[in-house]
Amino acid sequence: LVGKSRLGSVLSGEERARLNRRLRERTLGVLKDTPSIDGSLVVSRDPEVLAIAREFGARTVLEHGQTQSDLNLALMRATAVAKAFEINGMLVLPADLPLISPEDIQALVDETGKAPVVIIAPDRHNDGTNAMLMSPTGLIKFDYGPNSFNRHCMHALEAGAKLEIVRRVNLGLDLDFPDDLDYYEQIQSMRQESK
């Protein structure tokens, strides 16, 4: 599975596969290096992805019976697993945030406070949901897709949860489109120049 098809106009299939692997490994490494994160769970249809996740100490769930992954359904499965292990808070984090750091994860955790609470980091366009932490686990339904940020905010308010929005450059940048890659390269250049 290559993925990142929307980057197909600027990256070959092999380049996208390498990018996906680097992003997954970086994200798993960041989670492992964040002291307040007790564990990770990766849900995927790709056995190679699950093998990499296990190398980082993550629990894994293999998706079955789908020709195309449904993120919302996969997250429902992850929620069921988390509840089975009596986990009282859940952070949903995609693997395509190239700048993410343990400090960014901690910024989300620091907003948790008293449950029920939902903390959301939108993408840089205020359209997508790039990170979402909820306590208790399963507090709101997953509604990923276009304009998911606004829908997740609405679901949090409907559930009577405290809603916190965390905006950080590192959490706002995901690599979905060619202009995201351009923006990433600009940020990296600025950071290199400031050193």
Side-chain angles (χ1 to χ4, degrees):
L1 298 174
V2 174
K4 289 289 168 204
S5 59
R6 292 178 289 194
L7 296 176
S9 63
V10 293
L11 296 177
S12 69
E14 186 177 317
E15 289 170 324
R16 284 183 284 135
R18 278 197 309 267
L19 174 65
N20 279 331
R21 184 178 177 106
R22 275 198 323 267
L23 290 170
R24 280 192 297 269
E25 289 178 353
R26 176 179 171 76
T27 302
L28 288 163
V30 165
L31 289 168
K32 193 172 185 180
D33 291 344
T34 305
S36 58
I37 299 297
D38 293 331
S40 300
L41 174 69
V42 175
V43 181
S44 178
R45 292 177 300 125
D46 187 341
E48 182 184 336
V49 169
L50 299 178
I52 292 168
R54 287 189 291 272
E55 289 174 15
F56 284 85
R59 295 175 193 252
T60 59
V61 174
L62 178 65
E63 286 184 81
H64 290 288
Q66 296 169 293
T67 55
Q68 187 171 9
S69 181
D70 179 332
L71 178 58
N72 295 310
L73 182 57
L75 290 171
M76 284 174 50
R77 289 185 177 135
T79 299
V81 172
K83 284 182 173 181
F85 284 99
E86 298 181 354
I87 294 169
N88 59 9
M90 180 175 180
L91 170 65
V92 178
L93 191 68
D96 66 346
L97 308 179
L99 300 173
I100 196 162
S101 70
E103 293 77 22
D104 298 309
I105 302 297
Q106 194 59 49
L108 294 167
V109 173
D110 289 346
E111 293 294 327
T112 306
K114 187 178 176 187
V117 62
V118 176
I119 300 111
I120 300 175
D123 68 13
R124 65 191 179 105
H125 305 291
N126 287 317
D127 180 66
T129 304
N130 276 5
M132 183 166 56
L133 191 156
M134 69 178 76
S135 178
T137 298
L139 176 62
I140 66 170
K141 77 172 191 169
F142 298 106
D143 209 346
Y144 282 89
N147 199 32
S148 67
F149 170 54
N150 287 324
R151 286 195 308 278
H152 284 137
C153 288
M154 181 183 67
H155 295 323
L157 296 173
E158 288 171 349
K162 178 182 177 189
L163 173 64
E164 296 289 345
I165 309 301
V166 175
R167 288 185 167 84
R168 294 173 67 99
V169 171
N170 291 357
L171 290 171
L173 176 62
D174 53 353
L175 298 181
D176 286 332
F177 299 101
D179 69 315
D180 296 325
L181 277 177
D182 293 340
Y183 186 62
Y184 169 67
E185 288 167 6
Q186 290 171 15
I187 290 173
Q188 290 293 77
S189 294
M190 288 189 294
R191 289 181 177 180
Q192 289 297 326
E193 288 169 9
S194 66
K195 286 184 178 180

